[in-house]
Amino acid sequence: MDLVERCYRATAAFPAHELYGLTSQLRRAALSIPCNIAEGHCRRTTRAFANHVSIALGSHGELETAIDISARLGFLTAQEAASLLASSNSVGRLLNGLYRSLESKLR
């Protein structure tokens, strides 16, 4: 949730012509991570939860790519991008651990 907030704040300064492009893509990827975790948890089966965590992992990869592109285009400073990527890496480690845990329960 903190990462989503940070991404929304960072993209607020993006150019207006990117509102429906990179701004939207970065925000949607960030938002997709906690939303998929919540949805999977509410499905009440380990298999469904693992599937939604897998989708969240895909969104995590998409988010990191969008952050990198934003920095390359000059929409984020190197420091902003590094800070967002550090937060994203932390979230990624948590997601990977959760996914491994769920997969082990399914075996």
Side-chain angles (χ1 to χ4, degrees), residues 1 3-4 7 12 22 24 32 39 48-49 55 63 70-71 75 77 83 85 92 103:
M1 300 291 278
L3 180 58
V4 175
C7 287
L22 197 51
S24 176
S32 177
E39 183 177 352
F49 194 13
I55 294 167
L63 172 63
S70 298
F75 301 154
T77 66
S83 178
L85 287 171
E103 283 292 302

Side-chain angles (χ1 to χ4, degrees), residues 2-42:
D2 292 342
L3 180 58
V4 175
E5 287 179 37
R6 294 191 64 214
C7 287
Y8 267 75
R9 287 189 183 102
T11 57
F14 280 21
H17 68 269
E18 282 298 327
L19 182 60
Y20 300 108
L22 197 51
T23 302
S24 176
Q25 194 70 23
L26 197 147
R27 288 177 174 184
R28 283 185 290 121
L31 185 59
S32 177
I33 296 168
C35 287
N36 272 293
I37 293 168
E39 183 177 352
H41 184 262
C42 289

Side-chain angles (χ1 to χ4, degrees), residues 32-100:
S32 177
I33 296 168
C35 287
N36 272 293
I37 293 168
E39 183 177 352
H41 184 262
C42 289
R43 295 288 174 109
R44 306 224 183 231
T45 68
T46 303
R47 186 165 309 285
F49 194 13
N51 182 57
H52 280 79
V53 172
S54 176
I55 294 167
L57 281 163
S59 296
H60 175 261
E62 186 179 348
L63 172 63
E64 289 194 332
T65 301
I67 292 168
D68 284 338
I69 292 169
S70 298
R72 291 177 74 151
L73 293 173
F75 301 154
L76 292 172
T77 66
Q79 183 178 4
E80 290 170 323
S83 178
L84 284 173
L85 287 171
S87 294
S88 179
N89 287 337
S90 177
V91 168
R93 285 190 300 275
L94 292 169
L95 285 172
N96 278 302
L98 177 57
Y99 185 76
R100 282 192 306 272

